[in-house]
Amino acid sequence: MDHDMTSSARGDGLLSTHSVYGAPCWVSLTSRDLKATEEFYSAVLGWQWRPVRLGEPFRIALADGVPVAGIAAVAAMWQMAVAWTPYFAVRSADEAASRAQERGGTAAVGPISLPPGRAALLADRDGATFGIWEGELFSDWDTWRTKRPAFIRLHTRDAFDAAIFYGEIFEWASGRGCEVRYEGDEVVLRHEGEVVARIESGALGAAPDPAVRPHWQVHFAVEDVAACARAAERHGGSVLSLRADEAVLRDADGAQFTVTARRLDG
């Protein structure tokens, strides 16, 4: 869910979720402390910040001037988990939420009106949380998609079963938006030829460690994975795993995310 949607009256080629139906369209973090969140991600990922018209406690994070993510310091106020969440574009939030519930998913928040659109926070039948957004996309959204500062991956119990669940909600098999392919042990989701999400099996639904349970993992492209890991530890976060090209980190508030080495061709 973007926190800075702008009016199409600007005439700047603004897109709506109808144009990118079924594709990931944004990532958002719910946190408890806006100042602490800004300081952590500025130090670890070099982000800058801009206010949005929804006011406190919302922000847009920028990487080299490109919008990366939305931050909402509402976890305590709305009794929500501190977590990174991907949002998918839908034509109707109410219809998509109903389809999710009919297939065994649950609705945590909404659908609610957040002009100029509607949003909901849902969980699939294995408990992985995701969001849906119906409405306008911010004016720089095409740059966000082209630059691909964020990527999402679902770690789930059964990739094939999860693909059916999400595919029926977002109509991935309709041929009108996204294309799904089974490649090895993964399900790969493409939009306009670009990989926008991956789904992999192996998560354990009853695992005591939330990092092992089914969840959507948000990846951010960075220049130096090791430097991000060191910065996370210096600023109150932790390193859950570290490889040369990828690290799974936890911020100072407890939200888990991944940093991935930026592709040389991307």
Side-chain angles (χ1 to χ4, degrees):
M1 168 178 36
D2 181 36
H3 306 304
D4 196 20
M5 303 299 175
T6 52
S7 171
S8 57
R10 288 174 51 181
D12 53 4
L14 199 72
L15 292 171
S16 79
T17 52
H18 289 256
S19 305
V20 294
Y21 176 67
C25 64
W26 193 238
V27 294
S28 183
L29 171 66
T30 51
S31 75
R32 296 187 184 91
D33 186 323
L34 183 63
K35 185 174 186 296
T37 297
E38 288 181 337
E39 290 176 352
F40 179 87
Y41 286 96
S42 292
V44 176
L45 298 177
W47 287 353
Q48 306 85 43
W49 306 91
R50 77 178 185 209
V52 300
R53 64 184 183 184
L54 288 178
E56 297 288 349
F58 300 97
R59 291 288 189 275
I60 291 291
L62 306 172
D64 298 324
V66 177
V68 181
I71 308 295
V74 296
M77 183 191 320
W78 292 355
Q79 297 185 337
M80 297 172 65
V82 173
W84 278 102
T85 303
Y87 279 75
F88 291 82
V90 297
R91 286 191 289 263
S92 168
D94 295 273
E95 290 179 6
S98 293
R99 285 198 295 271
Q101 290 175 295
E102 288 166 0
R103 288 157 178 81
T106 57
V109 178
I112 58 175
S113 294
L114 290 172
R118 287 176 66 73
L121 188 65
L122 310 173
D124 66 24
R125 50 193 172 216
D126 285 322
T129 302
F130 65 101
I132 53 175
W133 171 254
E134 167 204 349
E136 294 174 354
L137 301 169
F138 64 94
S139 56
D140 296 328
W141 186 85
D142 219 26
T143 302
W144 179 83
R145 177 177 61 176
T146 302
K147 294 288 187 181
R148 296 192 300 279
F151 174 82
I152 61 173
R153 183 188 299 270
L154 176 61
H155 300 270
T156 190
R157 178 184 53 80
D158 185 316
F160 181 79
D161 183 69
I164 292 174
F165 174 84
Y166 287 97
E168 289 178 345
I169 296 171
F170 301 129
E171 299 180 23
W172 286 344
S174 67
R176 296 193 298 270
C178 292
E179 173 187 323
V180 177
R181 291 184 181 176
Y182 298 91
E183 300 180 4
D185 296 330
E186 287 189 327
V187 176
V188 180
L189 181 68
R190 287 180 170 81
H191 182 265
E192 295 185 352
E194 295 287 342
V195 175
V196 293
R198 295 180 183 271
I199 302 175
E200 66 178 18
S201 300
L204 302 176
D209 184 351
V212 180
R213 294 198 295 266
H215 67 282
W216 280 98
Q217 186 79 349
V218 177
H219 296 238
F220 296 105
V222 299
E223 300 295 339
D224 190 330
V225 170
C228 291
R230 290 192 297 269
E233 290 184 316
R234 286 198 304 270
H235 291 83
S238 56
V239 178
L240 302 183
S241 68
L242 177 61
R243 302 199 312 261
D245 62 345
E246 186 172 284
V248 180
L249 309 177
R250 186 171 285 150
D251 70 20
D253 213 9
Q256 182 178 306
F257 64 102
T258 298
V259 292
T260 304
R262 191 182 305 279
R263 288 180 358 198
L264 295 178
D265 61 351

